[in-house]
Amino acid sequence: MATIDGEEAMFETLDPVPSEIATAISDGLNAFNESAEIKREAFAIVWRENGGIIAGITASVCFSVLFIGNLWVAKSLRLSGIGTKLMAAAEEEGRRRAAVAACVDTLSTQAPDFYPKLGYVEFGRVSGHAGGRPVDRIWFRKEFSAAA
């Protein structure tokens, strides 16, 4: 139970979040969105080597926007161009699914210089702290040209 505005409420805080709870919340929101004809098409692109995944990207297209979820490249392969190739592949898949723009976020401790090199423009930033040091969360957007 939690107290909100001086009244007890039936809220429960869960930490860590059990997977079935995360799924129930996500499924509920997805059902609502589908009833409002807001469709989300999720996909992933992976690079496999010797049976293992060494790089990958998760993304989705919703209301004509490609949302990049996570981009990961094995440490030994970073700065090799794989991340750029994965972004290009995700953008191509997004366009195939009728996306007219893309959106991605990153932390100032991760890859804030990577996305502008690919034509992304910053449109939002929230500053915070992690481990006693300042960290920003940064959002980027890229408009797709009609000819691409």
Tab-separated table of all heavy atoms in Angstrom, residues 75 78 86 94 99 124 129:
chain	number	residue	atom	x	y	z
A	75	LYS	N	32.334	-5.416	-27.856
A	75	LYS	CA	33.417	-4.465	-27.570
A	75	LYS	C	34.578	-4.585	-28.552
A	75	LYS	O	35.120	-3.578	-29.007
A	75	LYS	CB	33.909	-4.674	-26.135
A	75	LYS	CG	34.864	-3.616	-25.672
A	75	LYS	CD	35.213	-3.780	-24.213
A	75	LYS	CE	36.118	-2.652	-23.757
A	75	LYS	NZ	36.407	-2.732	-22.325
A	78	ARG	N	33.777	-2.676	-31.880
A	78	ARG	CA	33.356	-1.275	-31.906
A	78	ARG	C	34.327	-0.447	-32.736
A	78	ARG	O	35.506	-0.760	-32.824
A	78	ARG	CB	33.238	-0.724	-30.487
A	78	ARG	CG	32.063	-1.382	-29.777
A	78	ARG	CD	31.816	-0.854	-28.407
A	78	ARG	NE	30.801	-1.714	-27.779
A	78	ARG	CZ	30.739	-1.972	-26.498
A	78	ARG	NH1	31.597	-1.414	-25.672
A	78	ARG	NH2	29.806	-2.768	-26.031
A	86	LEU	N	24.445	-1.325	-39.205
A	86	LEU	CA	23.193	-1.716	-38.559
A	86	LEU	C	22.178	-0.578	-38.600
A	86	LEU	O	20.987	-0.799	-38.846
A	86	LEU	CB	23.438	-2.152	-37.115
A	86	LEU	CG	24.006	-3.556	-36.931
A	86	LEU	CD1	24.476	-3.747	-35.498
A	86	LEU	CD2	22.975	-4.609	-37.299
A	94	GLY	N	12.928	0.501	-41.841
A	94	GLY	CA	11.925	1.485	-41.438
A	94	GLY	C	11.245	2.115	-42.644
A	94	GLY	O	10.014	2.244	-42.679
A	99	ALA	N	8.136	4.402	-42.761
A	99	ALA	CA	8.611	5.441	-41.852
A	99	ALA	C	9.113	6.638	-42.660
A	99	ALA	O	9.761	6.466	-43.693
A	99	ALA	CB	9.727	4.922	-40.956
A	124	GLY	N	16.210	16.969	-27.964
A	124	GLY	CA	15.868	17.005	-26.548
A	124	GLY	C	16.988	16.457	-25.697
A	124	GLY	O	17.804	15.641	-26.147
A	129	HIS	N	22.366	12.601	-12.942
A	129	HIS	CA	23.632	12.128	-12.371
A	129	HIS	C	23.588	10.616	-12.225
A	129	HIS	O	22.540	10.046	-11.935
A	129	HIS	CB	23.883	12.766	-11.000
A	129	HIS	CG	24.207	14.218	-11.097
A	129	HIS	ND1	23.225	15.194	-11.156
A	129	HIS	CD2	25.399	14.852	-11.172
A	129	HIS	CE1	23.819	16.369	-11.244
A	129	HIS	NE2	25.122	16.194	-11.255
